[in-house]
Amino acid sequence: VRTEAFFPDLPGYVTLRCDFHMHTVFSDGLVWPTVRAEEAWCEGYDAIAITEHLEYPRKTDLVITNHQRAHDLARPTAEALGLLLVPGTELTRGEPPGHWNLLFLTNLNVIPTNDHRAALRAACAQGAFVFWNHPAWKQTNQIAKWYDEQQEALTNGWLHGLEVVNGTDYDPIVHQWCLDRQLTLLGNSDVHGPVGLDYAYPPGSRRPMTLVFARERSLAAIHEALQQRRTAICFSNSLFGEAQFLRPLFERSIEVRTPVLTIAPRGRGVLQVHNRCAVDFVLKARGKVAGIPFPERLTLYAGKTVAVDIRPAATALKSVPEVRLPYEARNLWTAPDETLPVEIVFTLKPEEAKRSP
Ligand SMILES: [Zn+2]
Ligand SMILES: [Zn+2]
């Protein structure tokens, strides 16, 4: 059974739900590759990458002679389910330079494992999309540090994105680095065990998702979108991304079911707002509308319709035909300390005075 995770398409782009970082028994994970494809399908994903550690396969139990084996094993299952499977691997070095995911490789078996520079150069020669994984991992007090090795890779064109969310951790420092250095935002699970065990609590919790805004539903289009930084992250009932993506995503998710509220003088109307998105929108007022009181806090729950009492003053009913309720979406993050301003728009119509026969 597949549980859909709905996100609307954006103008000119389809929204694809992706996880570009996970492991199987072919490195230090605990499941067989086909299981990764089935899990992802069940959780509403469009695309995944199985990214085994290039340097430490499970040597004692499995002799890995082909680094593409996990990908190749998962592919028939992925294809049968209509899931896109991105070829990739995790370059696994000490810190610095740390761990890097190399996606869209054409041949994993020729990536050198002795020198990270040689590996990044070889990957980029294959047209790879490269991102630095979990930058804060193993750092002092879990605070991410930008090393010379990262700067060198960035300067050489070997670094294209950063993992802002890894597993259960969001990193505001890394988020800001993406904005400052024009790198792609990624949010991945890095799941090692079965997803149902690792994300069992709290009930209904889901693993992180990278939302990719692609020209079409294909591997080539995902590759292009990643290179062009057209992504956002869904994590822990929040979205992280640039306003140019989050605003249309919000606007196309909500549907005012009562676009025209007909209200008698001193009467009330019930505004009904539906949220089609897989995340709640947690709203807080960022201003007032003269003569129209509205809730200071309002949560538009995922997949549900919320009813809001509107009791306009008599003067407002006559003078303000179009109402724009000013809110701030407190769980839509455009920067580590900045959330998205949004509006709920509807029209007020005074009820015609009833004539007695
Ligand atoms: Zn890693
Ligand atoms: Zn990993």
Side-chain angles (χ1 to χ4, degrees):
V1 175
R2 174 170 164 106
T3 303
E4 296 294 345
F6 180 83
F7 293 92
D9 292 337
L10 304 191
Y13 302 115
V14 292
T15 300
L16 301 178
R17 297 147 291 189
C18 310
D19 184 354
F20 297 116
H21 188 171
M22 64 190 70
H23 299 275
T24 79
V25 291
F26 282 77
S27 61
D28 59 347
L30 299 170
V31 307
W32 193 251
T34 53
V35 176
R36 288 294 181 228
E38 292 181 321
E39 288 171 333
W41 181 84
C42 289
E43 292 173 88
Y45 283 83
D46 295 288
I48 60 166
I50 297 174
T51 51
E52 307 296 9
H53 297 286
L54 193 62
E55 291 86 342
Y56 52 88
R58 238 179 236 287
K59 291 196 183 76
T60 42
D61 299 312
L62 285 171
V63 179
I64 309 284
T65 53
N66 174 6
H67 290 293
Q68 298 191 167
R69 187 66 183 140
H71 177 87
D72 293 345
L73 281 168
R75 193 161 52 196
T77 305
E79 278 173 5
L81 293 169
L83 186 77
L84 296 167
L85 196 60
V86 177
T89 187
E90 182 170 15
L91 190 70
T92 313
R93 316 299 298 180
E95 294 76 25
H99 296 190
W100 308 60
N101 267 11
L102 319 175
L103 302 184
F104 297 99
L105 294 172
T106 50
N107 185 354
L108 276 69
N109 289 313
V110 299
I111 304 297
T113 55
N114 54 349
D115 173 50
H116 85 275
R117 291 181 183 86
L120 294 176
R121 195 180 295 117
C124 290
Q126 292 185 26
F129 176 84
V130 180
F131 61 94
W132 180 21
N133 298 340
H134 46 67
W137 191 56
K138 285 195 177 174
Q139 299 303 296
T140 312
N141 299 323
Q142 299 286 307
I143 296 170
K145 188 169 169 228
W146 187 266
Y147 288 99
D148 291 344
E149 283 77 355
Q150 271 70 40
Q151 189 54 43
E152 180 193 31
L154 184 66
T155 306
N156 291 341
W158 299 337
L159 178 59
H160 313 124
L162 301 173
E163 219 172 41
V164 175
V165 171
N166 176 278
T168 53
D169 297 314
Y170 159 72
D171 193 325
I173 294 174
V174 179
H175 188 180
Q176 190 60 49
W177 284 346
C178 281
L179 300 176
D180 296 342
R181 294 170 169 85
Q182 297 286 293
L183 293 165
T184 306
L185 276 80
L186 294 125
N188 301 310
S189 68
D190 197 4
V191 69
H192 285 67
V195 171
L197 293 183
D198 283 11
Y199 289 89
Y201 193 83
S205 75
R206 69 165 77 237
R207 56 173 149 156
M209 217 173 230
T210 301
L211 301 176
V212 174
F213 309 112
R215 292 192 202 283
E216 59 174 32
R217 197 179 186 286
S218 72
L219 288 175
I222 291 175
H223 195 175
E224 190 268 345
L226 289 177
Q227 287 168 326
Q228 296 301 319
R229 307 180 59 239
R230 291 199 308 272
T231 65
I233 298 167
C234 171
F235 167 65
S236 188
N237 202 32
S238 294
L239 296 174
F240 303 84
E242 291 185 7
Q244 60 167 325
F245 305 124
L246 296 192
R247 177 160 294 110
L249 207 140
F250 173 84
E251 287 171 354
R252 288 177 164 223
S253 292
I254 68 158
E255 190 183 296
V256 177
R257 295 257 160 106
T258 52
V260 180
L261 279 186
T262 306
I263 304 180
R266 285 183 293 280
R268 68 163 207 169
V270 180
L271 177 70
Q272 295 185 34
V273 186
H274 181 70
N275 174 12
R276 302 192 295 156
C277 191
V279 301
D280 301 335
F281 294 124
V282 181
L283 308 183
K284 184 173 178 289
R286 59 177 167 88
K288 299 208 179 301
V289 178
I292 302 174
F294 62 95
E296 174 71 16
R297 287 174 188 278
L298 179 65
T299 299
L300 304 175
Y301 295 101
K304 309 220 183 275
T305 306
V306 169
V308 183
D309 246 11
I310 300 291
R311 296 169 186 270
T315 46
L317 192 53
K318 276 184 201 143
S319 62
V320 206
E322 190 185 64
V323 181
R324 296 179 166 270
L325 301 181
Y327 277 109
E328 190 182 315
R330 296 290 296 153
N331 61 334
L332 269 51
W333 298 89
T334 51
D337 52 359
E338 199 178 277
T339 54
L340 185 78
V342 297
E343 287 180 328
I344 297 175
V345 184
F346 60 96
T347 302
L348 279 183
K349 197 174 155 205
E351 193 176 85
E352 305 276 329
K354 288 195 182 74
R355 288 164 180 274
S356 41

